[in-house]
């Protein structure tokens, strides 16, 4: 099982983290490149030109890479990590998750609200359960992780609300689909950056 909750495929590309030295699937790592001005640039979409520098999707790992000059060692050239690099990556990942869930909602494969989410879970339609990190533990504990699916608590109620065009959302669910697979990937990375799963007590949480 890889970071992000998907079963590792034997053909899945792997990269080495410059901090831990461990080789692992790309989905559990964040790509950086050296910009033209010698600055370290996060490449979350993995499309920027240049040699990729890979760091585990973990706040401590990114902070260590910036503090210990590991980006320069990996780039084999003097490069400078911007101040608060971990914060920048976290904010960018949060935006990606919010936007992906929003696209899933517009595609009809995402719902919000306790009763709708509970209905999807009961019907076996939900593949992912999303719950706000700052929501009521009692309320969140009344729902459960989809069988064979995933649970994430890395977004706040206001962030999850942005995905559904509301002020606040505590419970959300996604059906199977390509967008949902992308949410699983990015939410897994965001969980690593935020260092918690929202301290949720959802029944059967994996």
């Amino acid at each position: 099982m890889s970071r992000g909750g998907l079963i590792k495929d034997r053909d899945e590309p792997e990269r080495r983290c410059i901090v831990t030295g461990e080789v692992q699937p790309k989905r559990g790592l964040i790509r950086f490149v050296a910009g033209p001005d010698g600055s370290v640039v996060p490449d979350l979409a993995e499309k920027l030109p240049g040699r990729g520098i890979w760091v585990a999707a973990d706040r401590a790992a990114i902070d260590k890479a910036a503090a210990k000059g590991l980006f320069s060692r990996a780039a084999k050239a003097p490069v400078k990590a911007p101040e608060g690099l971990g914060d920048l990556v976290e904010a960018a990942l949060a935006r990606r998750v919010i936007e992906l869930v929003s696209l899933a909602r517009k595609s009809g494969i995402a719902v919000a609200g306790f009763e709708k989410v509970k209905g999807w879970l009961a019907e076996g339609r939900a593949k992912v359960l999303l719950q706000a990190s700052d929501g009521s533990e009692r309320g969140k504990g009344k729902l459960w992780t989809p069988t064979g699916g995933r649970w994430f608590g890395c977004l706040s109620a206001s962030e999850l609300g942005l995905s559904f065009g509301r002020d606040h959302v505590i419970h959300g669910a996604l059906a199977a689909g390509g967008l949902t697979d992308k949410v699983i990937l990015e939410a897994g990375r965001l969980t690593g950056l935020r260092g918690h799963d929202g301290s949720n007590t959802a029944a059967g949480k994996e």
Side-chain angles (χ1 to χ4, degrees):
M1 185 77 72
S2 67
R3 184 186 295 270
L6 295 181
I7 300 298
K8 177 187 170 184
D9 186 281
R10 68 179 63 185
D11 296 324
E12 185 175 4
E14 298 180 325
R15 296 292 185 272
R16 184 183 301 277
C17 171
I18 66 170
V19 177
T20 67
E22 296 179 355
V23 175
Q24 65 183 79
K26 288 196 328 181
R27 71 185 62 229
L29 300 162
I30 293 176
R31 185 179 191 263
F32 296 85
V33 296
D37 60 352
S39 63
V40 175
V41 180
D43 179 23
L44 301 182
E46 300 176 8
K47 293 181 178 180
L48 293 178
R51 179 183 178 185
I53 303 171
W54 299 84
V55 181
D58 177 85
R59 172 59 72 99
I62 293 175
D63 289 346
K64 183 175 181 179
K68 301 294 185 180
L70 301 184
F71 285 111
S72 293
R73 183 186 303 175
K76 299 180 179 179
V79 295
K80 182 174 177 58
E83 191 73 25
L85 179 60
D87 291 334
L88 293 174
V89 174
E90 178 185 325
L93 278 171
R95 286 195 299 271
R96 287 175 70 85
V97 176
I98 290 168
E99 290 168 1
L100 285 168
V101 175
S102 178
L103 288 173
R105 172 181 64 84
K106 294 172 182 176
S107 299
I109 62 169
V111 293
F114 183 86
E115 292 301 331
K116 287 184 179 180
V117 170
K118 185 178 180 180
W120 273 30
L121 289 169
E123 295 166 8
R125 185 174 178 184
K127 182 177 181 180
V128 171
L129 172 63
L130 298 170
Q131 293 184 303
S133 58
D134 50 351
S136 163
E137 294 302 309
R138 181 178 179 183
K140 291 191 293 184
K142 294 179 180 179
L143 298 177
W144 58 94
T145 300
T147 301
R150 293 289 296 162
W151 172 87
F152 291 103
C154 53
L155 295 178
S156 67
S158 59
E159 288 174 330
L160 199 51
L162 286 174
S163 297
F164 289 95
R166 306 179 186 179
D167 289 335
H168 295 83
V169 166
I170 304 299
H171 314 283
L174 306 178
L179 284 170
T180 297
D181 291 340
K182 291 180 180 179
V183 171
I184 290 173
L185 170 64
E186 302 297 0
R189 288 172 168 169
L190 180 59
T191 295
L193 265 291
R194 292 190 163 174
H196 62 79
D197 259 340
S199 65
N200 176 285
T201 54
K205 181 175 74 66
E206 295 179 342

